[in-house]
């Protein structure tokens, strides 16, 4: 069937697409690289005539024009599922932006059961000969958004990489209300995370625990990036990929012959991911690559799915961890940083996997620029307002540059002792004093 006439009938300008929004509406700006560009510019021009438009999105790789046109959030209230730099700035600035707590595996269900969507704007590939637009780099939750939206608008970008689907990675023109052809801008990129000696030491400690044939999930940031770099240079072989976020480290490992997927117990030979953000080199690698399988996070992040994969290795960052083993990875006190994402999903799934391990990695200390002094990332108790991303029963391995500890099965005093042992030496005596006050330290230990 030729879909050219239907395409022409549904083609509208970005200004016309922006005119669909009314004050008070819930609209969706997709996710990460799929955030609309042309429609965003057109919608920003309406900032003075709109009020309380609630815009959902996340992992922004650039500052949207609606932020610039409405810095106080009078017209557009940003509701973020997970924060990139622009999200974080908006949320911490005041009432123009807010975070939506979630487990990423549940996000498609959130939309289908709990979220109202008046208009959805999603950047996609061009339409193929069968009438399908591909979500490209973010299968994630976008089909659920489309199913719930009253009006669906796709913004075509010819430069969007085509992610070959596992499922829920395409939308047919029959399920699209309008089409916008933008200026085909370059895709937003995420610079490769830099890493230093501390990250490299943490990476060394983790890589020692990874067997041949393991399946990997890497989070974002310097330490997971260092792990990927070290694996690429290692003797490991037949590794697999099943991850929420596809990052450049996987490409490096593949090009060095480390990834085959041959030992995966499900989805053999496929690198499974929910969304991707990184360099143009990585986007080119994913484009039309049959080994890369785009799927919704209700699959990629489902602990029941992850648990079916033997020797699953999950590696994620944290902001702080307290002596009880509670992990905070999304905020520091009241300061919002990122989001829960799929960290808990993978912490749970990796532990359920036969031979699986989940690693929470962090530097032992950081420089508090406001206070002008170094502070420990391992703390007695989390600062008020800090969100707990992984509760203490779920924490498995914790790694700093001073060592690694497995907290499973440990009592509160054993956990305190273990975590203090991998803290920066200059903070250990104070942490012991605080543990004593909290009744989680045995005097015979010191």
């Amino acid at each position: 069937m030729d879909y050219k006439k239907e395409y022409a009938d549904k083609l509208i300008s970005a200004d016309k697409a922006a005119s669909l929004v009314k004050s008070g509406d819930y609209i969706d700006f997709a996710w990460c690289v799929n955030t609309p560009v042309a429609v965003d510019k057109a919608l920003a021009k309406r900032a003075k005539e709109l009020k309380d438009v609630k815009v959902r999105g996340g992992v922004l790789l650039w500052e949207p024009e609606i932020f610039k046109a409405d810095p106080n959030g009078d017209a557009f209230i940003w509701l973020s599922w997970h924060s990139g730099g622009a999200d974080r700035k908006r949320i911490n600035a005041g009432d123009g932006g807010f975070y939506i707590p979630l487990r990423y595996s549940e996000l498609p269900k959130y939309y289908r059961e709990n979220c109202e969507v008046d208009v959805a704007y999603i950047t996609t590939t061009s339409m193929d000969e069968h009438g399908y637009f591909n979500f490209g780099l973010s299968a994630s939750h976008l089909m659920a958004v489309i199913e719930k939206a009253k009006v669906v608008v796709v913004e075509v970008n010819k430069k969007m990489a085509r992610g070959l689907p596992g499922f829920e990675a395409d939308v047919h023109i029959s399920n699209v209300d309008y089409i916008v052809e933008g200026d085909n801008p370059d895709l937003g990129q995420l610079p490769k995370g830099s890493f230093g000696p501390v990250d490299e030491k943490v990476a060394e400690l983790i890589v020692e625990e990874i067997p041949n044939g393991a399946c990997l999930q890497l989070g974002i940031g310097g330490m997971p990036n260092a792990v990927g770099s070290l694996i690429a240079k290692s003797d490991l072989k037949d590794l697999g990929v099943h991850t929420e976020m596809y990052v450049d480290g996987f490409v490096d490992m593949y090009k060095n012959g480390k990834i085959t997927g041959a030992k995966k117990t499900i989805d053999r030979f496929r690198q499974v991911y929910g969304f991707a953000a990184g360099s143009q080199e990585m986007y080119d690698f994913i484009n039309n690559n049959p080994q890369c399988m785009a799927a919704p996070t209700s699959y990629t992040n489902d602990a029941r799915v992850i648990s079916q994969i033997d020797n699953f290795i999950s590696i994620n960052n944290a902001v702080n961890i307290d002596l009880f083993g509670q992990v905070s990875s999304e905020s520091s006190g009241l300061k919002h940083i990122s989001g829960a994402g799929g960290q808990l999903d993978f912490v749970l799934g990796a532990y359920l996997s036969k031979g699986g391990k989940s690693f929470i990695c962090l530097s032992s200390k950081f420089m508090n620029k406001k206070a002008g002094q170094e502070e420990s990332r391992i703390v007695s108790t989390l600062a008020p307002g800090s969100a707990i991303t992984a509760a203490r029963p779920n924490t498995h391995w914790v790694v700093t540059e001073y060592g690694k500890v497995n907290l499973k099965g440990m009592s509160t005093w054993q956990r305190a002792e273990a975590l203090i042992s991998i803290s920066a030496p200059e903070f250990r005596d104070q942490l012991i004093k605080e543990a004593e006050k909290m009744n989680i330290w045995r005097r015979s230990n010191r």
Side-chain angles (χ1 to χ4, degrees):
M1 185 180 291
D2 190 348
Y3 294 99
K4 293 180 182 178
K5 183 180 185 307
E6 186 174 0
Y7 186 102
D9 290 343
K10 293 181 175 181
L11 185 62
I12 61 174
S13 68
D15 287 334
K16 177 64 175 177
S19 74
L20 301 170
V21 177
K22 305 183 301 297
S23 291
D25 274 356
Y26 277 96
I27 69 173
D28 208 90
F29 256 34
W31 181 264
C32 198
V33 177
N34 296 70
T35 303
V37 176
V39 171
D40 169 48
K41 292 178 181 177
L43 193 57
K45 293 187 287 187
R46 298 190 61 205
K48 293 183 179 179
E49 63 184 85
L50 292 170
K51 189 173 179 61
D52 294 336
V53 176
K54 294 164 282 290
V55 189
R56 296 192 190 95
V59 196
L60 289 172
L61 300 182
W62 62 87
E63 183 180 11
E65 294 300 315
I66 59 172
F67 286 14
K68 301 173 186 176
D70 179 39
N72 296 322
D74 297 321
F76 305 109
I77 306 167
W78 184 250
L79 305 178
S80 175
W81 295 112
H82 196 87
S83 297
D87 305 76
R88 183 182 307 118
K89 182 178 178 182
R90 183 82 166 185
I91 291 168
N92 287 319
D95 62 0
F98 300 89
Y99 170 63
I100 318 171
L102 87 164
R103 276 178 62 195
Y104 197 9
S105 62
E106 296 179 340
L107 187 51
K109 187 174 182 179
Y110 276 21
Y111 273 98
R112 291 184 172 110
E113 296 188 2
N114 306 106
C115 294
E116 178 182 347
V117 184
D118 292 296
V119 187
Y121 299 107
I122 300 173
T123 298
T124 68
T125 64
S126 301
M127 185 179 72
D128 68 15
E129 66 271 26
H130 303 292
Y132 283 93
F133 300 86
N134 183 259
F135 299 144
L137 298 168
S138 302
S140 186
H141 56 285
L142 299 187
M143 182 56 74
V145 173
I146 284 172
E147 290 174 3
K148 194 62 181 286
K150 296 173 185 174
V151 179
V152 175
V153 180
V154 298
E155 180 178 313
V156 169
N157 185 340
K158 294 178 181 179
K159 294 180 180 178
M160 176 66 75
R162 186 176 295 275
L164 297 185
F167 53 98
E168 294 190 18
D170 303 88
V171 60
H172 194 263
I173 191 170
S174 59
N175 293 316
V176 170
D177 296 294
Y178 299 104
I179 303 161
V180 171
E181 292 182 345
D183 297 326
N184 303 305
D186 291 338
L187 301 178
Q189 296 185 32
L190 187 68
K192 289 186 179 181
S194 60
F195 54 87
V198 169
D199 304 299
E200 290 177 339
K201 180 58 180 176
V202 171
E204 289 173 5
L205 293 168
I206 293 174
V207 172
E208 292 173 352
E209 300 291 333
I210 301 176
N212 289 327
C215 187
L216 306 177
Q217 175 260 327
L218 297 179
I220 189 172
M223 286 182 181
N225 190 51
V227 171
S229 178
L230 191 59
I231 290 173
K233 301 172 186 175
S234 73
D235 294 327
L236 289 169
K237 60 184 179 180
D238 285 331
L239 300 176
V241 175
H242 184 104
T243 189
E244 125 194 338
M245 181 177 179
Y246 198 89
V247 296
D248 280 278
F250 293 123
V251 179
D252 295 338
M253 284 184 269
Y254 176 79
K255 290 185 175 180
N256 280 275
K258 307 306 172 187
I259 293 174
T260 66
K263 303 298 183 182
K264 291 179 71 177
T265 43
I266 60 173
D267 301 320
R268 292 184 70 215
F269 308 110
R270 307 292 297 278
Q271 297 190 50
V272 179
Y273 69 99
F275 79 102
S279 68
Q280 187 60 49
E281 177 188 5
M282 186 252 279
Y283 299 157
D284 292 341
F285 177 80
I286 288 176
N287 186 43
N288 283 317
N289 189 338
Q291 74 170 288
C292 296
M293 173 178 159
T297 55
S298 52
Y299 180 79
T300 62
N301 290 39
D302 189 333
R304 293 164 295 188
V305 173
I306 297 165
S307 69
Q308 297 174 48
I309 307 172
D310 293 348
N311 296 311
F312 196 96
I313 305 295
S314 169
I315 303 165
N316 289 288
N317 280 325
V319 177
N320 295 109
I321 183 168
D322 70 16
L323 295 182
F324 293 106
Q326 299 181 119
V327 179
S328 179
S329 302
E330 51 200 284
S331 65
S332 178
L334 297 175
K335 181 182 179 181
H336 185 77
I337 295 175
S338 60
Q343 185 171 115
L344 181 57
D345 293 321
F346 284 95
V347 164
L348 294 171
Y351 185 68
L352 293 170
S353 157
K354 181 181 179 181
K357 301 171 185 175
S358 93
F359 293 92
I360 299 296
C361 52
L362 67 169
S363 58
S364 65
K365 58 186 177 181
F366 71 101
M367 173 57 72
N368 185 329
K369 294 179 180 179
K370 284 188 176 180
Q373 63 184 19
E374 289 186 321
E375 295 182 5
S376 178
R377 290 197 182 278
I378 296 177
V379 296
S380 56
T381 56
L382 299 173
S386 295
I388 296 172
T389 310
R392 60 183 181 174
N394 302 320
T395 311
H396 195 184
W397 287 86
V398 180
V399 189
T400 74
E401 71 272 27
Y402 288 101
K404 55 193 172 188
V405 292
N406 180 354
L407 301 186
K408 289 292 187 181
M410 287 188 175
S411 67
T412 52
W413 74 260
Q414 290 170 317
R415 284 171 174 243
E417 183 180 52
L419 289 166
I420 291 171
S421 76
I422 61 170
S423 67
E426 62 266 37
F427 297 112
R428 292 177 187 175
D429 286 342
Q430 183 59 38
L431 286 169
I432 288 171
K433 290 178 182 178
E434 292 170 1
E436 287 175 334
K437 293 177 184 177
M438 295 158 58
N439 293 321
I440 55 172
W441 187 262
R442 296 181 70 228
R443 292 182 182 177
S444 59
N445 288 29
R446 190 74 174 184

